[in-house]
Short mmCIF file of all heavy atoms in Angstrom, two decimals:
data_model
loop_
_atom_site.label_atom_id
_atom_site.label_comp_id
_atom_site.label_asym_id
_atom_site.label_seq_id
_atom_site.Cartn_x
_atom_site.Cartn_y
_atom_site.Cartn_z
N MET A 1 36.41 -11.02 31.81
CA MET A 1 35.58 -11.67 30.91
C MET A 1 34.36 -10.76 30.57
O MET A 1 34.00 -10.63 29.40
CB MET A 1 35.10 -13.01 31.34
CG MET A 1 34.10 -13.67 30.47
SD MET A 1 34.54 -15.37 30.32
CE MET A 1 33.40 -15.96 29.28
N LYS A 2 33.73 -10.23 31.50
CA LYS A 2 32.60 -9.38 31.30
C LYS A 2 32.96 -8.16 30.57
O LYS A 2 32.14 -7.65 29.76
CB LYS A 2 31.95 -8.97 32.62
CG LYS A 2 31.27 -10.11 33.31
CD LYS A 2 30.62 -9.63 34.58
CE LYS A 2 30.03 -10.83 35.33
NZ LYS A 2 29.35 -10.39 36.59
N THR A 3 34.22 -7.71 30.68
CA THR A 3 34.62 -6.48 30.01
C THR A 3 34.69 -6.76 28.52
O THR A 3 34.30 -5.90 27.66
CB THR A 3 35.97 -5.99 30.49
OG1 THR A 3 35.91 -5.90 31.95
CG2 THR A 3 36.40 -4.73 29.91
N SER A 4 35.11 -7.89 28.08
CA SER A 4 35.27 -8.22 26.70
C SER A 4 33.90 -8.32 26.01
O SER A 4 33.68 -7.91 24.87
CB SER A 4 36.07 -9.48 26.43
OG SER A 4 35.36 -10.60 27.00
N ILE A 5 32.89 -8.84 26.73
CA ILE A 5 31.54 -8.91 26.16
C ILE A 5 31.00 -7.51 26.03
O ILE A 5 30.38 -7.24 24.95
CB ILE A 5 30.66 -9.80 27.01
CG1 ILE A 5 31.09 -11.26 27.10
CG2 ILE A 5 29.27 -9.69 26.71
CD1 ILE A 5 30.45 -12.09 28.10
N ILE A 6 31.14 -6.66 26.92
CA ILE A 6 30.62 -5.34 26.83
C ILE A 6 31.34 -4.59 25.66
O ILE A 6 30.64 -3.83 24.92
CB ILE A 6 30.87 -4.56 28.19
CG1 ILE A 6 30.03 -5.16 29.23
CG2 ILE A 6 30.55 -3.00 27.98
CD1 ILE A 6 30.18 -4.65 30.58
N LYS A 7 32.64 -4.71 25.43
CA LYS A 7 33.28 -4.09 24.36
C LYS A 7 32.79 -4.64 23.02
O LYS A 7 32.68 -3.86 22.09
CB LYS A 7 34.81 -4.39 24.48
CG LYS A 7 35.48 -3.50 25.55
CD LYS A 7 36.96 -3.72 25.66
CE LYS A 7 37.54 -2.95 26.75
NZ LYS A 7 39.02 -3.10 26.88
N LYS A 8 32.57 -5.91 22.91
CA LYS A 8 32.03 -6.47 21.71
C LYS A 8 30.63 -5.87 21.38
O LYS A 8 30.32 -5.48 20.31
CB LYS A 8 31.90 -8.04 21.83
CG LYS A 8 33.12 -8.70 21.63
CD LYS A 8 32.87 -10.24 21.74
CE LYS A 8 34.22 -11.01 21.60
NZ LYS A 8 33.98 -12.45 21.65
N LEU A 9 29.83 -5.70 22.44
CA LEU A 9 28.48 -5.19 22.25
C LEU A 9 28.48 -3.69 21.79
O LEU A 9 27.78 -3.20 20.99
CB LEU A 9 27.62 -5.26 23.51
CG LEU A 9 27.18 -6.73 23.86
CD1 LEU A 9 26.44 -6.72 25.18
CD2 LEU A 9 26.25 -7.24 22.74
N GLN A 10 29.51 -2.94 22.32
CA GLN A 10 29.67 -1.52 21.97
C GLN A 10 30.10 -1.39 20.52
O GLN A 10 29.72 -0.42 19.86
CB GLN A 10 30.72 -0.85 22.92
CG GLN A 10 30.11 -0.65 24.25
CD GLN A 10 31.25 -0.05 25.23
OE1 GLN A 10 32.38 -0.11 24.98
NE2 GLN A 10 30.68 0.56 26.35
N LYS A 11 30.88 -2.31 20.06
CA LYS A 11 31.40 -2.28 18.64
C LYS A 11 30.45 -2.77 17.59
O LYS A 11 30.51 -2.50 16.39
CB LYS A 11 32.74 -3.07 18.49
CG LYS A 11 33.86 -2.38 19.19
CD LYS A 11 35.18 -3.19 19.08
CE LYS A 11 36.29 -2.46 19.80
NZ LYS A 11 37.52 -3.21 19.59
N ASP A 12 29.46 -3.62 18.03
CA ASP A 12 28.52 -4.16 17.18
C ASP A 12 27.38 -3.13 16.71
O ASP A 12 26.74 -2.54 17.48
CB ASP A 12 27.74 -5.35 17.86
CG ASP A 12 26.78 -6.08 16.88
OD1 ASP A 12 26.95 -5.95 15.69
OD2 ASP A 12 25.95 -6.82 17.43
N GLU A 13 27.41 -2.83 15.45
CA GLU A 13 26.59 -1.79 14.91
C GLU A 13 25.41 -2.39 13.97
O GLU A 13 24.77 -1.64 13.36
CB GLU A 13 27.38 -0.79 14.08
CG GLU A 13 28.34 0.02 14.93
CD GLU A 13 29.10 1.10 14.17
OE1 GLU A 13 28.75 1.23 13.02
OE2 GLU A 13 30.03 1.68 14.74
N SER A 14 25.30 -3.68 13.96
CA SER A 14 24.25 -4.28 13.09
C SER A 14 22.84 -3.88 13.55
O SER A 14 21.98 -3.60 12.64
CB SER A 14 24.39 -5.74 13.18
OG SER A 14 24.18 -6.28 14.41
N GLY A 15 22.61 -3.74 14.78
CA GLY A 15 21.25 -3.26 15.21
C GLY A 15 21.04 -1.77 14.82
O GLY A 15 19.91 -1.46 14.41
N ALA A 16 22.01 -0.99 15.00
CA ALA A 16 21.84 0.43 14.57
C ALA A 16 21.59 0.56 13.04
O ALA A 16 20.72 1.36 12.63
CB ALA A 16 23.13 1.16 14.92
N THR A 17 22.22 -0.24 12.26
CA THR A 17 22.03 -0.21 10.84
C THR A 17 20.60 -0.64 10.48
O THR A 17 19.99 -0.03 9.62
CB THR A 17 23.04 -1.18 10.10
OG1 THR A 17 24.37 -0.82 10.45
CG2 THR A 17 22.84 -1.11 8.53
N ALA A 18 20.10 -1.68 11.13
CA ALA A 18 18.65 -2.16 10.87
C ALA A 18 17.73 -1.01 11.28
O ALA A 18 16.68 -0.79 10.57
CB ALA A 18 18.46 -3.32 11.62
N ILE A 19 17.90 -0.32 12.31
CA ILE A 19 17.08 0.82 12.79
C ILE A 19 17.16 1.88 11.72
O ILE A 19 16.12 2.56 11.40
CB ILE A 19 17.50 1.26 14.19
CG1 ILE A 19 17.07 0.17 15.28
CG2 ILE A 19 16.74 2.60 14.49
CD1 ILE A 19 17.68 0.49 16.60
N GLU A 20 18.29 2.24 11.25
CA GLU A 20 18.43 3.22 10.22
C GLU A 20 17.62 2.94 9.00
O GLU A 20 16.93 3.78 8.44
CB GLU A 20 19.90 3.51 9.88
CG GLU A 20 20.69 4.16 10.96
CD GLU A 20 22.19 4.10 10.73
OE1 GLU A 20 22.62 3.58 9.69
OE2 GLU A 20 22.91 4.65 11.54
N TYR A 21 17.75 1.71 8.48
CA TYR A 21 16.94 1.31 7.35
C TYR A 21 15.49 1.36 7.57
O TYR A 21 14.71 1.71 6.72
CB TYR A 21 17.36 -0.10 6.91
CG TYR A 21 18.68 -0.18 6.20
CD1 TYR A 21 19.70 -1.05 6.49
CD2 TYR A 21 18.90 0.65 4.99
CE1 TYR A 21 20.94 -1.09 5.82
CE2 TYR A 21 20.04 0.65 4.31
CZ TYR A 21 21.11 -0.28 4.75
OH TYR A 21 22.24 -0.30 4.03
N GLY A 22 15.10 1.05 8.79
CA GLY A 22 13.70 1.07 9.17
C GLY A 22 13.20 2.49 9.20
O GLY A 22 12.06 2.77 8.67
N LEU A 23 13.95 3.43 9.67
CA LEU A 23 13.61 4.82 9.71
C LEU A 23 13.55 5.40 8.24
O LEU A 23 12.62 6.11 7.94
CB LEU A 23 14.55 5.71 10.54
CG LEU A 23 14.48 5.48 12.05
CD1 LEU A 23 15.66 6.18 12.77
CD2 LEU A 23 13.17 5.89 12.62
N ILE A 24 14.49 4.99 7.43
CA ILE A 24 14.37 5.46 6.03
C ILE A 24 13.18 4.90 5.28
O ILE A 24 12.52 5.63 4.58
CB ILE A 24 15.73 5.02 5.25
CG1 ILE A 24 16.97 5.81 5.78
CG2 ILE A 24 15.55 5.14 3.73
CD1 ILE A 24 18.20 5.27 5.36
N ALA A 25 12.82 3.65 5.54
CA ALA A 25 11.65 3.12 4.87
C ALA A 25 10.40 3.76 5.42
O ALA A 25 9.48 4.07 4.63
CB ALA A 25 11.53 1.55 5.21
N ALA A 26 10.33 4.15 6.60
CA ALA A 26 9.23 4.82 7.20
C ALA A 26 9.10 6.22 6.60
O ALA A 26 7.99 6.67 6.23
CB ALA A 26 9.29 4.92 8.73
N LEU A 27 10.12 6.91 6.44
CA LEU A 27 10.19 8.24 5.80
C LEU A 27 9.72 8.17 4.38
O LEU A 27 8.90 8.99 3.92
CB LEU A 27 11.50 8.92 5.90
CG LEU A 27 11.70 10.32 5.38
CD1 LEU A 27 10.80 11.24 6.01
CD2 LEU A 27 13.18 10.70 5.37
N VAL A 28 10.23 7.20 3.61
CA VAL A 28 9.77 7.11 2.22
C VAL A 28 8.30 6.73 2.16
O VAL A 28 7.60 7.27 1.25
CB VAL A 28 10.65 5.95 1.46
CG1 VAL A 28 10.03 5.59 0.21
CG2 VAL A 28 12.03 6.43 1.39
N SER A 29 7.77 5.92 3.04
CA SER A 29 6.37 5.58 3.09
C SER A 29 5.45 6.84 3.30
O SER A 29 4.51 7.00 2.63
CB SER A 29 6.12 4.50 4.13
OG SER A 29 6.75 3.35 3.89
N VAL A 30 5.85 7.62 4.31
CA VAL A 30 5.13 8.84 4.67
C VAL A 30 5.14 9.77 3.45
O VAL A 30 4.12 10.35 3.10
CB VAL A 30 5.72 9.51 5.91
CG1 VAL A 30 5.10 10.87 6.09
CG2 VAL A 30 5.44 8.70 7.11
N ALA A 31 6.28 9.96 2.77
CA ALA A 31 6.36 10.77 1.61
C ALA A 31 5.49 10.33 0.54
O ALA A 31 4.75 11.08 -0.21
CB ALA A 31 7.81 10.89 1.13
N ALA A 32 5.48 8.94 0.21
CA ALA A 32 4.67 8.38 -0.84
C ALA A 32 3.20 8.56 -0.53
O ALA A 32 2.40 8.89 -1.51
CB ALA A 32 5.04 6.91 -0.95
N ILE A 33 2.78 8.35 0.66
CA ILE A 33 1.38 8.49 1.02
C ILE A 33 0.94 9.92 0.84
O ILE A 33 -0.13 10.23 0.34
CB ILE A 33 1.14 8.02 2.51
CG1 ILE A 33 1.22 6.48 2.64
CG2 ILE A 33 -0.25 8.50 3.01
CD1 ILE A 33 1.27 6.00 4.02
N GLY A 34 1.80 10.86 1.25
CA GLY A 34 1.41 12.35 1.04
C GLY A 34 1.33 12.64 -0.45
O GLY A 34 0.41 13.34 -0.85
N ALA A 35 2.22 12.16 -1.21
CA ALA A 35 2.28 12.50 -2.64
C ALA A 35 1.07 11.90 -3.38
O ALA A 35 0.35 12.54 -4.19
CB ALA A 35 3.52 11.97 -3.33
N LEU A 36 0.67 10.63 -3.05
CA LEU A 36 -0.45 9.95 -3.60
C LEU A 36 -1.73 10.56 -3.18
O LEU A 36 -2.63 10.69 -4.00
CB LEU A 36 -0.38 8.45 -3.34
CG LEU A 36 0.74 7.65 -3.93
CD1 LEU A 36 0.82 6.27 -3.44
CD2 LEU A 36 0.65 7.65 -5.44
N THR A 37 -1.74 11.00 -1.96
CA THR A 37 -2.99 11.69 -1.55
C THR A 37 -3.25 12.91 -2.20
O THR A 37 -4.36 13.30 -2.68
CB THR A 37 -2.93 11.93 0.01
OG1 THR A 37 -2.80 10.69 0.64
CG2 THR A 37 -4.23 12.63 0.52
N ALA A 38 -2.21 13.80 -2.43
CA ALA A 38 -2.32 15.04 -3.15
C ALA A 38 -2.71 14.80 -4.63
O ALA A 38 -3.53 15.49 -5.14
CB ALA A 38 -1.03 15.78 -3.02
N MET A 39 -2.04 13.80 -5.23
CA MET A 39 -2.31 13.50 -6.60
C MET A 39 -3.70 12.98 -6.71
O MET A 39 -4.39 13.30 -7.77
CB MET A 39 -1.29 12.41 -7.15
CG MET A 39 -1.39 12.29 -8.61
SD MET A 39 -0.14 11.26 -9.35
CE MET A 39 0.53 10.27 -8.13
N GLY A 40 -4.21 12.20 -5.83
CA GLY A 40 -5.53 11.69 -5.86
C GLY A 40 -6.61 12.76 -5.95
O GLY A 40 -7.55 12.70 -6.72
N THR A 41 -6.39 13.67 -5.08
CA THR A 41 -7.34 14.89 -5.01
C THR A 41 -7.25 15.60 -6.30
O THR A 41 -8.39 16.04 -6.89
CB THR A 41 -7.00 15.87 -3.78
OG1 THR A 41 -7.01 15.12 -2.71
CG2 THR A 41 -7.96 16.98 -3.79
N SER A 42 -6.15 15.81 -6.92
CA SER A 42 -5.97 16.53 -8.11
C SER A 42 -6.60 15.78 -9.35
O SER A 42 -7.38 16.31 -10.14
CB SER A 42 -4.54 16.71 -8.48
OG SER A 42 -4.35 17.29 -9.75
N LEU A 43 -6.46 14.44 -9.32
CA LEU A 43 -7.09 13.65 -10.37
C LEU A 43 -8.56 13.64 -10.29
O LEU A 43 -9.26 13.53 -11.26
CB LEU A 43 -6.54 12.16 -10.34
CG LEU A 43 -5.08 11.98 -10.85
CD1 LEU A 43 -4.65 10.59 -10.56
CD2 LEU A 43 -5.01 12.37 -12.28
N ASP A 44 -9.11 13.59 -9.03
CA ASP A 44 -10.55 13.54 -8.80
C ASP A 44 -11.13 14.88 -9.38
O ASP A 44 -12.17 14.81 -10.11
CB ASP A 44 -10.81 13.37 -7.36
CG ASP A 44 -12.35 13.32 -7.04
OD1 ASP A 44 -12.97 12.59 -7.78
OD2 ASP A 44 -12.84 14.03 -6.17
N THR A 45 -10.50 15.98 -9.13
CA THR A 45 -10.95 17.28 -9.60
C THR A 45 -10.95 17.25 -11.20
O THR A 45 -11.88 17.69 -11.83
CB THR A 45 -10.14 18.41 -9.07
OG1 THR A 45 -10.11 18.35 -7.63
CG2 THR A 45 -10.55 19.76 -9.53
N MET A 46 -9.89 16.73 -11.74
CA MET A 46 -9.70 16.81 -13.21
C MET A 46 -10.74 15.84 -13.84
O MET A 46 -11.50 16.34 -14.81
CB MET A 46 -8.32 16.27 -13.65
CG MET A 46 -8.08 16.31 -15.09
SD MET A 46 -6.49 15.66 -15.58
CE MET A 46 -6.61 13.95 -15.19
N PHE A 47 -11.03 14.71 -13.35
CA PHE A 47 -12.04 13.85 -13.93
C PHE A 47 -13.44 14.36 -13.75
O PHE A 47 -14.26 14.17 -14.67
CB PHE A 47 -11.89 12.39 -13.33
CG PHE A 47 -10.78 11.63 -14.02
CD1 PHE A 47 -9.76 11.13 -13.16
CD2 PHE A 47 -10.73 11.35 -15.31
CE1 PHE A 47 -8.67 10.40 -13.70
CE2 PHE A 47 -9.69 10.65 -15.90
CZ PHE A 47 -8.68 10.13 -15.11
N THR A 48 -13.69 15.03 -12.68
CA THR A 48 -15.07 15.65 -12.54
C THR A 48 -15.21 16.83 -13.49
O THR A 48 -16.30 16.87 -14.09
CB THR A 48 -15.09 16.26 -11.06
OG1 THR A 48 -14.87 15.17 -10.10
CG2 THR A 48 -16.44 16.90 -10.76
N THR A 49 -14.21 17.59 -13.69
CA THR A 49 -14.25 18.64 -14.65
C THR A 49 -14.48 18.04 -16.14
O THR A 49 -15.40 18.55 -16.89
CB THR A 49 -12.97 19.44 -14.72
OG1 THR A 49 -12.82 20.02 -13.47
CG2 THR A 49 -13.07 20.60 -15.77
N VAL A 50 -13.75 17.07 -16.50
CA VAL A 50 -13.87 16.37 -17.83
C VAL A 50 -15.30 15.77 -17.98
O VAL A 50 -15.92 15.97 -19.03
CB VAL A 50 -12.81 15.33 -18.00
CG1 VAL A 50 -13.03 14.48 -19.24
CG2 VAL A 50 -11.41 16.01 -18.11
N SER A 51 -15.76 15.20 -16.88
CA SER A 51 -17.14 14.60 -16.96
C SER A 51 -18.14 15.66 -17.21
O SER A 51 -19.09 15.45 -18.04
CB SER A 51 -17.37 13.91 -15.72
OG SER A 51 -18.71 13.34 -15.60
N GLY A 52 -18.09 16.74 -16.53
CA GLY A 52 -18.93 17.87 -16.68
C GLY A 52 -18.91 18.42 -18.12
O GLY A 52 -19.95 18.70 -18.70
N GLU A 53 -17.74 18.58 -18.62
CA GLU A 53 -17.60 19.10 -20.02
C GLU A 53 -18.19 18.12 -21.00
O GLU A 53 -18.81 18.55 -22.01
CB GLU A 53 -16.14 19.41 -20.30
CG GLU A 53 -15.55 20.60 -19.51
CD GLU A 53 -16.26 21.86 -19.85
OE1 GLU A 53 -16.52 22.17 -21.01
OE2 GLU A 53 -16.51 22.61 -18.85
N LEU A 54 -18.02 16.85 -20.79
CA LEU A 54 -18.61 15.81 -21.68
C LEU A 54 -20.08 15.78 -21.66
O LEU A 54 -20.78 15.74 -22.62
CB LEU A 54 -18.01 14.43 -21.45
CG LEU A 54 -16.52 14.16 -21.86
CD1 LEU A 54 -16.12 12.88 -21.26
CD2 LEU A 54 -16.44 14.28 -23.33
N ASP A 55 -20.60 16.00 -20.45
CA ASP A 55 -22.12 16.09 -20.28
C ASP A 55 -22.61 17.28 -21.09
O ASP A 55 -23.66 17.19 -21.74
CB ASP A 55 -22.49 16.10 -18.81
CG ASP A 55 -22.34 14.87 -18.09
OD1 ASP A 55 -22.28 13.72 -18.78
OD2 ASP A 55 -22.32 14.87 -16.88
N LYS A 56 -21.96 18.39 -20.95
CA LYS A 56 -22.30 19.59 -21.76
C LYS A 56 -22.29 19.41 -23.25
O LYS A 56 -23.13 19.80 -23.95
CB LYS A 56 -21.40 20.79 -21.36
CG LYS A 56 -21.82 21.51 -20.03
CD LYS A 56 -21.01 22.75 -19.99
CE LYS A 56 -20.26 22.88 -18.70
NZ LYS A 56 -19.44 24.10 -18.67
N ALA A 57 -21.22 18.69 -23.69
CA ALA A 57 -20.99 18.49 -25.16
C ALA A 57 -22.02 17.60 -25.70
O ALA A 57 -22.49 17.70 -26.81
CB ALA A 57 -19.57 17.92 -25.37
N VAL A 58 -22.52 16.59 -24.90
CA VAL A 58 -23.55 15.62 -25.33
C VAL A 58 -24.93 16.23 -25.27
O VAL A 58 -25.77 15.84 -26.00
CB VAL A 58 -23.41 14.35 -24.54
CG1 VAL A 58 -24.62 13.38 -24.81
CG2 VAL A 58 -22.09 13.64 -24.70
N GLY A 59 -25.00 17.25 -24.45
CA GLY A 59 -26.37 17.98 -24.37
C GLY A 59 -27.09 17.56 -23.17
O GLY A 59 -28.29 17.68 -23.07
N GLY A 60 -26.38 17.01 -22.21
CA GLY A 60 -27.06 16.53 -20.95
C GLY A 60 -27.14 17.50 -19.94
O GLY A 60 -27.70 18.05 -19.21
#
């Protein structure tokens, strides 16, 4: 009887699938945070440049 329970547990892969999905979600999250951080710095630089140019154009 104990042997059949152990064999069932060995064949059950539902837990492994859930862990795989969790790892994929974590990887996607890390990639998104990295991309948004890099884009945020770039956008900040761009808006600072535009603001400076507008100040010059207005005569400030």
Side-chain angles (χ1 to χ4, degrees):
M1 174 137 184
K2 289 183 182 181
T3 308
S4 64
I5 294 172
I6 293 172
K7 286 182 182 180
K8 283 182 184 179
L9 289 174
Q10 287 177 340
K11 290 182 182 181
D12 185 16
E13 296 183 4
S14 61
T17 303
I19 291 172
E20 290 170 358
Y21 282 128
L23 290 172
I24 291 169
L27 180 63
V28 168
S29 298
V30 168
I33 289 169
L36 291 173
T37 300
M39 189 174 19
T41 303
S42 173
L43 287 174
D44 184 46
T45 303
M46 182 180 69
F47 282 120
T48 301
T49 303
V50 170
S51 175
E53 292 297 321
L54 287 173
D55 284 343
K56 281 192 231 176
V58 173

